[in-house]
Amino acid sequence: MATIAANIATIQAQAAALDTLIGQFAAAKALIDAAELDIRQQQPRANHEARSGRVRLAEYARSKMGDPSLTKTVATLASEVWSGVS
């Protein structure tokens, strides 16, 4: 069993790691959102939202963080829903 001080140090270190991951998530989300918007602007008549998961992949990622039982990885979902689009 760890000491209280060791547990507090672990909590603080992991909180800092989460802060880093949140920053990385925000940056990745911004890039995904911009790319999705660019695709919609280049294909204004296409309904990309008709295919579940095609738009708002970052929201799926956020859901997966809260519910790790979601079976698909974000990368797998992105590959499946965007394959064949040009």
Side-chain angles (χ1 to χ4, degrees):
M1 180 176 281
T3 66
I4 291 173
N7 284 325
I8 291 170
T10 296
I11 291 167
Q12 291 171 335
Q14 292 309 303
L18 287 174
D19 284 339
T20 299
L21 291 171
I22 290 166
Q24 292 170 344
F25 176 84
K29 181 182 181 317
L31 291 171
I32 288 171
D33 289 347
E36 289 171 346
L37 177 61
D38 196 34
I39 289 168
R40 286 194 297 276
Q41 289 173 338
Q42 291 182 48
Q43 297 179 333
R45 290 180 174 73
N47 182 7
H48 291 293
E49 295 189 36
R51 182 143 183 207
S52 179
R54 185 168 281 175
V55 179
R56 292 185 270 297
L57 282 169
E59 295 308 315
Y60 176 78
R62 185 185 320 233
S63 296
K64 189 162 177 61
M65 284 187 280
D67 182 4
S69 69
L70 293 172
T71 56
K72 292 184 183 180
T73 66
V74 180
T76 297
L77 180 60
S79 178
E80 289 175 0
V81 301
W82 285 107
S83 67
V85 176
S86 58

